[in-house]
Amino acid sequence: MTLLLHDRLNVGLLGLALLGLVSGLVLWLSGQPDLAKIAWTAGVVPVLGALCVEIVRSLSNGEVGLDIVAALSMSAALLFGETLAAAVVALMYSGGTFLESFAQGRARREMSDLLSRVPRTATRHRDGALDEVPLDDIAPGDLLLIRQGDVAPVDGSVESTRAMLDQSALTGESMPVRLEHGQEVMSGSTNAGEAFDLRVTRRAADSTYAGIVRLVEEAQKSKAPMARLADRWSLLFLTVTVVLATAAWWFTGDPIRAVAVLVVATPCPLILAVPVALVAGLSRAAHFGVLIKGAKPLEALARIKTLILDKTGTLTDGRPQIVSIDRHGDMSGDDILYFAAALDQASKHPIAQAIVAAARARATALPVPENVVETPGGGVAGTVEGRRVVVGGAGFVASQAGVAEPESAVVDTGSVIVSLAVDGKLMGHLVMADALRPGTADLLAGLRKLGVARILLATGDRRAVAEAVTEGLGFDAVRADLTPDQKVMLVLAERKTGAVMMVGDGVNDAPALAAADVGVAMGARGAAASAEAADVVLLVDHLDRLLPGIEVAQRSRRIALESVVAGIGLSVLGMIAAAFGYLTPVQGALLQEGIDVAVILNALRALRIVPGQTGRKARSPEDAASRWSLETTSTPHAPEGRI
């Protein structure tokens, strides 16, 4: 609401300044100079008043900005009767402020949408019946029913025999995990298996998901403010302006010369060039699928020195894929996939759906399975083309088909093994894992060429998996087993050596995205929480969009600086001419207007930026086949077999 009122105020001030200038010109041309001066003054006073309030607020925060020069020029022009010059300055200043406000936009929206993923009600067991109750009515000890596809609304423990949960949004583990009776369930986890009962251990306000929301809010509050690019030049330019105006008045005794100097010195090249170039950069970046939430994040993106990447769903694809097919019988690899996919059509399990998708990608026509029986957390048994087929974890297949697992079946670190038995014989295994995104090595090399000095991996997954996926990629550091608050601490620690960019896609990444100088979210399939907390959203599910995004930001900032230097150089020459009496205040204002037009035209060159690396180069699937993110099955959360 505050940002909306601020935007409306800027629009109102611009409208008043324009109305005052135009109406004054009409009155002056109609032979009523006194009324014209009143109209010009009326257009200047609201802008000057708002400007003075902003100056007081900035000074109270210990900030000295270029607004002081604009206030001096308007005040001096009104004081000495140069109302037309004051009106021109007021229009230029309010126009620049409006553009800057438009460029920044709403860099942050309220995090209320973060909780929208969790249901507002829950299904509670009570006196042998099921009731839908609000979350606030749930107390520790209550027994809830979590149906398939439901999101756990509160923290609790598994009351049923077992539960299959997708915790990827919270922990970064892309594979669903199986929890046994009594194991803890984090709120925000999605039920990927059959319905189960959950014994509540914490109220909704004290749950894991609510804690992540609070982390995001705290991280946003602690984020260091970034000064406007224009303000970094302010003190020097202010000093030069005041000295030159004072000298002109002192040595000539003519206050109008000082007014002319101040009018020419109104820092519109700084006030206008920066927002125009950055707004153009925002538009250009969006053309390449990079949504940047304002001018400040774009400017920060141009100065990134450290990049921190999440793993699952960011560095990796986040979805299980078939790495290889191991044969242990007389079936070919295609036949193993055929029978496994045919039976798995009857299952909604993510692993099963990945197997079906792989078969269909090969244009394989799959028959309809019969007599299907699915065991949650184990696998599926049924009949395919008259043959008895069992697909699932090694233990499940062994018990259902009466076969023994051969010693040659070796589980690679982090991979998931899906066994297949046909007619009581073990035919082979489908080795599945989370794929590294294609072209990752080229991406990291391109980022280093753009000036990113340090690249780190930060993941909630185990160290063995993190090291396996980053082997040979040249990461400067790998941080594993991280909780959301530990990711925030890592970001804050790295910020001591330079601007930090954090890239993530899950709810667990949202606090770190908020704490970083630039938070980047994978918008195509990432969690809404990460997109809300981020400064930049990749609109397409390709990490290589970072390359054109950073390059557009760097070149936009460079164009803004070029415009500033050229504009200030011309302004200084005009100030000198005004000091020697060659320019009146009105002429100085018009000269400054011409400089502004030139500066804006130059700043608009950012709309034509063509990045040298746009990430459009086609990647061969084989480039990704040699490196995988490996999700292990050896932890208590991911027991042997199908998970």
Side-chain angles (χ1 to χ4, degrees):
M1 181 63 69
T2 301
L3 288 173
L4 184 59
L5 290 175
H6 187 264
D7 292 341
R8 289 179 176 176
L9 176 62
N10 289 332
V11 173
L13 291 176
L14 176 60
L16 289 174
L18 181 60
L19 178 62
L21 179 61
V22 172
S23 60
L25 288 174
V26 171
L27 291 169
W28 183 75
L29 292 174
S30 62
Q32 302 181 64
D34 293 335
L35 292 178
K37 289 183 178 181
I38 294 175
W40 288 328
T41 302
V44 173
V45 170
V47 177
L48 181 58
L51 180 55
C52 290
V53 171
E54 186 64 30
I55 290 172
V56 171
R57 183 182 295 113
S58 298
L59 291 176
S60 64
N61 294 329
E63 301 172 358
V64 179
L66 287 167
D67 299 337
I68 295 177
V69 180
L72 286 175
S73 64
M74 280 186 274
S75 300
L78 289 178
L79 179 64
F80 293 103
E82 298 289 341
T83 52
L84 175 57
V88 173
V89 172
L91 179 62
M92 290 189 296
Y93 178 80
S94 58
T97 304
F98 169 76
L99 283 174
E100 185 175 30
S101 176
F102 175 76
Q104 291 175 351
R106 293 189 182 184
R108 292 290 180 270
R109 287 180 285 177
E110 294 182 6
M111 289 302 296
S112 58
D113 289 342
L114 180 58
L115 286 175
S116 63
R117 184 173 175 270
V118 176
R120 301 299 180 185
T121 62
T123 305
R124 182 174 63 184
H125 289 276
R126 179 62 60 88
D127 299 329
L130 294 174
D131 296 325
E132 289 290 327
V133 296
L135 289 188
D136 292 340
D137 292 347
I138 298 174
D142 285 348
L143 186 64
L144 306 181
L145 174 65
I146 309 298
R147 294 161 296 199
Q148 187 177 46
D150 283 353
V151 175
V154 294
D155 292 344
S157 61
V158 178
E159 191 72 12
S160 302
T161 304
R162 65 175 61 89
M164 188 66 56
L165 294 170
D166 178 1
Q167 298 179 334
S168 58
L170 298 173
T171 66
E173 295 183 13
S174 61
M175 304 294 187
V177 298
R178 185 171 69 183
L179 301 181
E180 303 297 336
H181 175 79
Q183 287 191 288
E184 293 186 0
V185 176
M186 292 184 292
S187 58
S189 303
T190 302
N191 183 10
E194 300 298 324
F196 70 95
D197 290 332
L198 174 74
R199 182 68 67 181
V200 178
T201 56
R202 294 188 184 92
R203 292 186 177 275
D206 301 323
S207 66
T208 300
Y209 210 68
I212 290 178
V213 176
R214 288 191 291 271
L215 272 176
V216 172
E217 293 172 342
E218 291 170 3
Q220 288 180 333
K221 291 177 182 178
S222 66
K223 189 168 183 174
M226 192 182 72
R228 292 183 303 173
L229 177 62
D231 287 342
R232 298 174 201 156
W233 300 68
S234 60
L235 192 57
L236 176 61
F237 190 76
L238 175 61
T239 303
V240 171
T241 299
V242 172
V243 169
L244 194 55
T246 303
W249 190 357
W250 178 269
F251 288 107
T252 65
D254 184 3
I256 301 301
R257 291 198 182 188
V259 173
V261 170
L262 290 174
V263 168
V264 177
T266 301
C268 291
L270 283 172
I271 296 172
L272 290 173
V274 175
V276 168
L278 297 187
V279 167
L282 297 179
S283 174
R284 194 59 178 160
H287 177 76
F288 295 99
V290 183
L291 175 62
I292 304 175
K293 299 181 181 180
K296 285 185 178 181
L298 184 137
E299 188 183 341
L301 189 61
R303 301 183 294 107
I304 293 301
K305 295 301 179 185
T306 300
L307 170 64
I308 300 176
L309 286 169
D310 174 49
K311 184 182 74 66
T312 304
T314 303
L315 188 66
T316 65
D317 187 64
R319 293 173 291 191
Q321 298 183 25
I322 296 176
V323 179
S324 63
I325 300 177
D326 297 338
R327 299 170 52 200
H328 296 289
D330 56 4
M331 275 191 179
S332 67
D334 288 341
D335 287 339
I336 291 173
L337 177 60
Y338 174 82
F339 279 98
L343 185 59
D344 271 337
Q345 292 178 99
S347 174
K348 292 184 178 180
H349 194 282
I351 298 293
Q353 293 302 303
I355 293 174
V356 173
R360 288 175 176 167
R362 301 187 185 188
T364 302
L366 300 175
V368 177
E370 299 176 345
N371 306 318
V372 177
V373 177
E374 181 172 8
T375 302
V380 185
T383 304
V384 177
E385 296 181 339
R387 306 182 71 174
R388 178 65 176 172
V389 179
V390 182
V391 178
F396 174 79
V397 172
S399 64
Q400 292 289 315
V403 298
E405 190 73 10
E407 296 181 359
S408 59
V410 178
V411 181
D412 294 332
T413 303
S415 61
V416 172
I417 302 297
V418 178
S419 299
L420 171 73
V422 179
D423 294 334
K425 295 181 180 180
L426 181 67
M427 292 300 175
H429 300 89
L430 301 169
V431 182
M432 307 192 70
D434 184 13
L436 190 71
R437 290 184 182 272
T440 299
D442 292 340
L443 167 67
L444 299 183
L447 289 169
R448 293 194 185 277
K449 289 180 181 178
L450 291 175
V452 180
R454 282 175 56 78
I455 302 178
L456 298 83
L457 182 75
T459 178
D461 214 338
R462 291 164 298 100
R463 174 162 292 278
V465 176
E467 291 179 347
V469 74
T470 58
E471 182 180 359
L473 290 179
F475 276 83
D476 294 289
V478 175
R479 301 286 185 266
D481 299 307
L482 298 181
T483 60
D485 56 334
Q486 288 174 331
K487 286 187 177 183
V488 172
M489 295 305 296
L490 175 62
V491 169
L492 296 178
E494 291 294 330
R495 273 174 52 184
K496 296 177 182 178
T497 58
V500 175
M501 177 167 63
M502 170 73 191
V503 185
D505 76 319
V507 175
N508 60 323
D509 300 316
L513 295 177
D517 294 282
V518 178
V520 180
M522 305 294 290
R525 289 193 293 113
S530 60
E532 293 287 350
D535 304 290
V536 179
V537 178
L538 303 184
L539 299 178
V540 291
D541 195 28
H542 298 294
L543 190 58
D544 59 4
R545 296 291 95 185
L546 287 174
L547 294 175
I550 293 176
E551 189 169 351
V552 166
Q554 291 178 343
R555 293 176 63 179
S556 297
R557 186 173 183 270
R558 189 179 305 122
I559 288 173
L561 287 172
E562 290 171 356
S563 300
V564 165
V565 171
I568 291 302
L570 293 174
S571 294
V572 170
L573 293 177
M575 289 161 59
I576 294 174
F580 282 96
Y582 295 111
L583 291 174
T584 65
V586 173
Q587 291 172 337
L590 295 176
L591 173 63
Q592 188 58 260
E593 190 71 25
I595 295 174
D596 293 341
V597 171
V599 162
I600 291 174
L601 291 176
N602 183 69
L604 287 175
R605 289 192 300 118
L607 288 172
R608 300 193 300 272
I609 293 175
V610 179
Q613 303 180 53
T614 63
R616 291 181 176 178
K617 182 180 178 182
R619 309 293 186 189
S620 169
E622 289 76 17
D623 293 341
S626 61
R627 204 175 306 278
W628 299 85
S629 164
L630 305 175
E631 301 290 347
T632 188
T633 60
S634 60
T635 67
H637 292 296
E640 180 189 23
R642 183 174 186 151
I643 62 173

